[in-house]
């Protein structure tokens, strides 16, 4: 029971850390994707239309309040799904042999399920970031959407969001674990771990483990986003559009935007998204590992 509790608590803390670090870059990315513009233009619009730097944090209320819930849900589902898959295998060698497959499946399941909870939050955030919702705050924007579009309006862009999240979260978890394994097999790392063990240092209070977590989290974050950028672009475009009749579905949105702006528009915001992935995933994983270690040793 304690393991379940620690998974959810650590996910909550890690998600909050990642959100605080990456939100300004996320706002720039959203403007790029919704307006099909470059970084400089996006930054200019954000500052001018919001009368200052506060525009970089517009719409942050819902993400901050819910990122803990979403990440605790994500890591909680991941941890419990992984244990469920592993516990049914009695043979230790067979369990280790298919561990990586189970990690990918557990991550994908977690990504799929959390998309249904995260979509309304993403919708409100993007509407406020791109000023397609001119209300004063997140709650007012949410009520406006429900009043004008109904409950189904909160799930605009759900299909591309599921496509964006289901496999990348599997890749995210798998890459993180495998990179840690590779780094952990290095002679230098093993030697340092032996020294740290003699000093009774744990993963939360020595520089080696934090460095390994930083490297693994950065690479895992980039790898998980490379193949799904077009889905993120389409999701943003569909959610930023306040008129529900403009795009019939994901395929229609893709065809309209490719015809209008060319296929390169499907990769708009890729640089900002990949750059953002490094600090966000580092902060998320470090926060997760730190809180998990503290919780288990409590």
């Amino acid at each position: 029971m304690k393991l379940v509790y620690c998974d959810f608590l650590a996910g909550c803390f890690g998600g909050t850390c990642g959100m605080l670090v990456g939100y300004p870059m996320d706002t720039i990315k959203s403007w790029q994707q919704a307006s099909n513009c470059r970084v400089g233009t996006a930054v200019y619009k954000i500052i001018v239309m919001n009368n200052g730097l506060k525009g970089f944090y517009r719409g942050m209320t819902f993400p901050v309040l819910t990122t803990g819930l979403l990440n605790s849900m994500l890591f909680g589902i991941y941890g419990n799904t992984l244990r469920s898959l592993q516990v049914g295998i009695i043979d230790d060698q067979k369990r280790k042999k298919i561990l990586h497959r189970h990690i990918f499946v557990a991550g994908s399941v977690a990504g799929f399920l959390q998309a249904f909870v995260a979509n309304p939050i993403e919708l409100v955030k993007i509407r406020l970031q791109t000023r397609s919702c001119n209300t004063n705050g997140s709650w007012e924007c949410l009520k406006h959407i429900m009043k004008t579009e109904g409950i189904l309006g909160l799930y605009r862009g759900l299909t591309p969001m599921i496509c964006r999240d289901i496999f990348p979260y599997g890749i995210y978890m798998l890459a993180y674990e495998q990179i840690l394994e590779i780094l952990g097999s290095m002679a230098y790392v093993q030697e340092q771990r032996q020294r740290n063990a003699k000093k009774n240092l744990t993963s939360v209070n020595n520089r080696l483990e934090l460095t390994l977590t930083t490297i693994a989290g950065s690479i895992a974050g980039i790898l998980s986003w490379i193949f799904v950028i077009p889905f993120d672009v389409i999701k943003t475009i569909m959610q930023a559009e306040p008129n529900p009749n403009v795009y019939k579905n994901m395929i229609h949105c893709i065809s309209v935007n490719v015809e209008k702006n060319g296929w390169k528009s499907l990769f708009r915001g890729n640089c900002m998204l990949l750059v953002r992935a490094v600090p966000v995933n580092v902060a998320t994983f470090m926060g997760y590992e730190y809180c998990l270690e503290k919780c288990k040793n409590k």
Side-chain angles (χ1 to χ4, degrees):
M1 188 66 183
K2 186 177 180 181
L3 284 175
V4 176
Y5 166 76
C6 288
D7 272 330
F8 280 97
L9 183 63
C12 179
F13 183 78
T16 302
C17 293
M19 174 59 63
L20 293 174
V21 169
Y23 198 83
M25 289 178 280
D26 183 71
T27 301
I28 297 172
K29 173 193 72 86
S30 295
W31 264 99
Q32 281 190 272
Q33 293 176 341
S35 304
N36 191 39
C37 61
R38 296 180 181 274
V39 173
T41 305
V43 171
Y44 175 78
K45 286 183 177 181
I46 292 169
I47 294 174
V48 171
M49 294 187 70
N50 293 281
N51 296 318
L53 298 177
K54 62 182 181 181
F56 290 102
Y57 294 92
R58 181 175 168 80
M60 192 175 180
T61 302
F62 264 17
V64 167
L65 292 176
T66 58
T67 188
L69 169 66
L70 291 175
N71 279 275
S72 64
M73 178 182 176
L74 176 70
F75 283 102
I77 292 173
Y78 165 73
N80 286 286
T81 302
L82 181 59
R83 279 191 291 273
S84 297
L85 292 170
Q86 288 278 286
V87 76
I89 303 172
I90 301 174
D91 186 80
D92 289 340
Q93 289 187 345
K94 186 176 180 181
R95 188 189 300 119
K96 290 180 180 179
K97 186 177 180 180
I98 61 175
L99 174 61
H100 291 153
R101 187 191 309 170
H102 285 171
I103 290 173
F104 177 79
V105 171
S108 296
V109 169
F112 173 75
L113 293 177
Q114 70 90 38
F116 291 89
V117 179
N119 196 85
I121 299 167
E122 282 273 312
L123 177 69
V124 172
K125 181 199 73 171
I126 286 174
R127 290 280 178 92
L128 288 170
Q129 283 178 325
T130 59
R131 298 197 70 88
S132 53
C133 188
N134 291 317
T135 56
N136 293 325
S138 299
W139 290 106
E140 289 77 9
C141 182
L142 177 65
K143 289 187 286 186
H144 176 74
I145 294 171
M146 291 188 67
K147 183 179 179 180
T148 57
E149 302 175 44
I151 295 178
L152 290 178
L154 296 176
Y155 287 90
R156 179 89 61 81
L158 178 62
T159 301
M161 184 161 184
I162 290 175
C163 294
R164 185 198 72 173
D165 287 356
I166 186 168
F167 291 118
Y169 275 113
I171 296 171
Y172 183 83
M173 300 299 185
L174 179 59
Y176 176 70
E177 296 293 342
Q178 287 198 310
I179 292 166
L180 278 183
E181 285 182 17
I182 294 170
L183 294 174
S185 65
M186 296 172 62
Y188 172 77
V189 173
Q190 292 178 350
E191 182 181 337
Q192 290 298 314
R193 279 178 170 169
Q194 289 176 358
R195 292 179 181 176
N196 291 337
K198 293 178 181 178
K199 298 176 183 179
N200 293 321
L201 295 178
T202 63
S203 62
V204 300
N205 56 12
N206 75 78
R207 292 182 178 179
L208 174 65
E209 298 302 330
L210 291 178
T211 300
L212 296 179
T213 300
T214 299
I215 295 172
S218 300
I219 298 174
I222 293 173
L223 290 177
S224 67
W225 274 106
I226 287 176
F227 303 104
V228 295
I229 291 173
F231 291 114
D232 187 61
V233 173
I234 294 302
K235 178 193 74 68
T236 300
I237 292 172
M238 292 181 70
Q239 291 181 335
E241 175 53 60
N243 186 349
N245 299 315
V246 173
Y247 301 116
K248 298 176 183 178
N249 50 48
M250 182 178 73
I251 301 300
H252 181 242
C253 182
I254 293 173
S255 62
V256 169
N257 281 277
V258 169
E259 183 178 350
K260 181 181 178 181
N261 301 311
W263 64 269
K264 289 184 179 180
S265 65
L266 296 180
F267 294 88
R268 181 67 70 183
N270 60 347
C271 292
M272 187 57 61
L273 197 154
L274 294 177
V275 169
R276 168 183 168 271
V278 176
V280 168
N281 284 282
V282 168
T284 299
F285 269 115
M286 288 182 68
Y288 174 74
E289 294 284 358
Y290 176 85
C291 188
L292 188 64
E293 187 74 28
K294 287 289 188 182
C295 182
K296 286 181 177 179
N297 294 331
K298 196 171 182 180

